[in-house]
Amino acid sequence: MNVAVVGTGYVGLVVGAGLAEMGNSVICADVDRGKIERLRRNEIPIYEPGLEPLVARNQADGRLVFTTDVGDAVDKSDIILIAVGTPPDEDGSADLTHVLDVATTIGRHMNRSKVVVTKSTVPVGTAEKVRAAVAAHSTVPFSVASNPEFLKEGAAVEDFMKPDRIIAGVDSPEAEAALRELYEPFVRTGNPVLFMGIPSAEVTKYAANAMLAARITLMNQFANLCEKVGADVNDVRRGIGTDGRIGKGFLFPGPGYGGSCFPKDVKALCATGRAAGSPLEVLECVESVNERQKRVPVAKLRRILGSLEGKTVAIWGLAFKAQTDDMREAASLVVVEELLQAGVTLKVHDPKALGEARRRFGDRVTYAEQRYDALVGADALAILTEWQEYRVLDYDRAKSVMRRPVVIDARNLYEPERMAQHGFSYDSIGRP
Ligand code: NAD
């Protein structure tokens, strides 16, 4: 099929490359000229495992083309996937400016009947706004559809190529046929393409993210309770995770969820609920409790070190989770700012996010290319991201370079008893 993907960020780039891999002719369009020039040279602007060879192979074979000319991409395509950003507005609702800009361009280039699909995460009712924006500039008949994306950063290629399910919100046979054909190659193992009404598809995406965000937040609250009452959240996690109704996934406590999706999607769904006269009280709490959780590592540092003024702290992990360089809404942003304000000297390490960190923190922190270099002269280490390379600690090496053997582990990577045996003051999340 001839496909245009508009927006080549974390989602659009993976989607475009994945669709090309299955044999479609894909034009990826973005207004960011620098990004498109880099992509034409097969330089991937983000860290995403497996993405580079996919882009290079499909670009070399001519199935994947990058352009800044959104109109031209629309002209040449039968199906257009809108995958631009939907950042939060001042009141938390999703800002649809980019989505509707693209819809206007699509309307101006509707040279034959096409299917216009929102892949971005957008509030219920957006497909109708897209339909109106396209129709304002075109008399050619067209269809709209909602096809939210569920890929996870860090496993985006794998998730897109082998989805658990595809959600397809449609209200016309043309859109249904187009999405069925587009996704057939991805669901050969039998995972479903779930067709439903457009509003249901739009709500499904937010409901999934809200459910996961709430689950993480509840686990974080259980962890905080465990600390107060002498319980171990690890045991509680295993105890409830083996209940078939609950399941094992997404039960690890930590320093609060971050990333480009959960925080903004929870806010946007809350805004939708308020506007619809059906407020989501539970979710409103999730949001504020999560913000509080991001401050837990600093509180723990204060408890062990006393005054933080003049102290040196090493941070391992800046990305909002492992396997990505994305720092949007990461706990590290809150922790770094709070520690800097308290007069702490910071030495930070992350396997992939140091470039992004330099853009955000500038020369206010010191960057360590090797993780043990960050520990030199440190009064404490705070671990914020669950990178695999952090899972094994060289106790003697760490102790020999740190000023004080203090570790605050917000990802519960180490065994408390073993850390004590090796002479560390160690605190984690929800464990004695
Ligand atoms: P992103 O910020 O990485 O990328 C968005 C891209 O859109 C940017 O490259 C930007 O230059 C481009 N863009 C903006 N306006 C444009 C325009 N008018 N025309 C062409 N290009 C334009 O965003 P993302 O993380 O890829 O997210 C995109 C959407 O997908 C959001 O709605 C997000 O909520 C949703 N989503 C994201 C993820 C994720 O893990 N990042 C997962 C599922 C869904």
Side-chain angles (χ1 to χ4, degrees):
M1 297 173 86
N2 294 314
V3 185
V5 180
V6 187
T8 52
Y10 284 86
V11 168
L13 185 55
V14 172
V15 168
L19 290 171
E21 178 74 1
M22 292 299 186
N24 295 290
S25 292
V26 180
I27 307 178
C28 278
D30 201 291
V31 288
D32 185 334
R33 194 165 290 280
K35 196 180 262 190
I36 291 297
E37 277 167 11
R38 289 181 66 189
L39 285 167
R40 283 181 175 151
R41 296 194 297 267
N42 291 321
E43 285 172 29
I44 308 298
I46 53 172
Y47 173 71
E48 193 57 59
L51 185 55
E52 190 178 338
L54 202 64
V55 168
R57 180 166 64 241
N58 284 284
Q59 202 167 204
D61 289 349
R63 286 188 301 271
L64 182 61
V65 172
F66 292 101
T67 182
T68 53
D69 190 341
V70 178
D72 187 54
V74 174
D75 280 337
K76 292 177 175 149
S77 305
D78 302 310
I79 178 165
I80 302 131
L81 307 184
I82 304 175
V84 296
T86 48
D89 228 333
E90 272 160 26
D91 65 352
S93 61
D95 178 351
L96 295 178
T97 312
H98 303 311
V99 171
L100 297 178
D101 278 354
V102 175
T104 300
T105 306
I106 294 171
R108 295 204 171 106
H109 290 264
M110 192 54 80
N111 51 3
R112 58 181 184 280
S113 181
K114 298 172 194 282
V115 180
V116 180
V117 182
T118 43
K119 198 135 205 35
S120 301
T121 302
V122 290
V124 60
T126 300
E128 288 314 313
K129 292 182 180 168
V130 167
R131 196 195 309 271
V134 175
H137 300 278
S138 166
T139 52
V140 178
F142 65 95
S143 311
V144 296
S146 164
N147 169 223
E149 180 51 54
F150 291 88
L151 61 76
K152 299 182 292 296
E153 286 175 22
V157 172
E158 172 84 6
D159 285 349
F160 184 71
M161 300 308 277
K162 295 177 189 161
D164 290 339
R165 73 336 195 166
I166 305 280
I167 300 294
V170 295
D171 63 1
S172 69
E174 292 79 13
E176 178 167 342
L179 287 180
R180 200 180 288 285
E181 189 179 339
L182 191 67
Y183 284 114
E184 230 160 39
F186 296 86
V187 292
R188 289 166 66 90
T189 51
N191 285 351
V193 180
L194 296 173
F195 285 97
M196 57 183 77
I198 290 175
S200 305
E202 290 174 331
V203 172
T204 297
K205 171 64 194 180
Y206 281 103
N209 277 358
M211 187 73 88
L212 295 171
R215 191 168 158 107
I216 292 172
T217 303
L218 200 49
M219 277 313 285
N220 286 338
Q221 292 223 296
F222 292 157
N224 297 341
L225 174 68
C226 284
E227 287 182 13
K228 298 270 190 227
V229 298
D232 184 334
V233 74
N234 233 351
D235 292 334
V236 175
R237 176 179 60 78
R238 282 181 287 148
I240 62 176
T242 40
D243 184 325
R245 296 168 302 175
I246 295 173
K248 295 188 176 115
F250 263 80
L251 290 181
F252 286 88
Y257 61 75
S260 68
C261 291
F262 289 178
K264 87 169 166 53
D265 292 352
V266 166
K267 286 190 195 90
L269 188 55
C270 287
T272 297
R274 287 193 297 270
S278 181
L280 296 148
E281 292 93 342
V282 173
L283 265 196
E284 304 267 3
C285 281
V286 164
E287 153 81 10
S288 56
V289 171
N290 187 63
E291 279 311 301
R292 208 166 63 213
Q293 188 70 14
K294 291 181 179 175
R295 297 174 197 284
V296 165
V298 179
K300 286 179 181 287
L301 281 169
R302 277 209 172 89
R303 217 170 295 145
I304 297 185
L305 297 180
S307 166
L308 295 177
E309 173 96 49
K311 299 284 188 332
T312 298
V313 172
I315 293 181
W316 281 4
L318 300 166
F320 84 92
K321 65 173 185 177
Q323 294 290 90
T324 181
D325 59 353
D326 196 344
M327 286 177 61
R328 290 180 281 187
E329 305 256 3
S332 65
L333 299 177
V334 172
V335 171
V336 165
E337 293 304 337
E338 209 170 316
L339 290 177
L340 286 176
Q341 262 180 25
V344 171
T345 299
L346 284 175
K347 299 170 110 177
V348 303
H349 174 266
D350 189 285
K352 295 292 172 196
L354 283 190
E356 179 61 18
R358 282 194 176 91
R359 277 188 285 282
R360 287 173 181 268
F361 304 137
D363 57 8
R364 296 187 295 148
V365 306
T366 303
Y367 302 94
E369 297 293 335
Q370 301 296 329
R371 63 180 169 139
Y372 287 100
D373 291 347
L375 300 185
V376 177
D379 293 288
L381 161 66
I383 301 175
L384 301 181
T385 312
E386 70 284 20
W387 284 102
Q388 282 191 11
E389 66 178 76
Y390 296 160
R391 281 170 201 255
V392 174
L393 181 67
D394 184 334
Y395 309 106
D396 293 338
R397 187 172 174 191
K399 268 194 309 191
S400 71
V401 294
M402 291 178 79
R403 194 179 297 151
R404 289 177 65 178
V406 173
V407 176
I408 303 296
D409 173 7
R411 297 293 184 169
N412 292 357
L413 300 184
Y414 309 135
E415 276 310 310
E417 271 177 27
R418 209 172 300 142
M419 290 298 281
Q421 280 163 13
H422 285 276
F424 285 89
S425 291
Y426 176 74
D427 197 1
S428 53
I429 305 283
R431 300 189 297 172

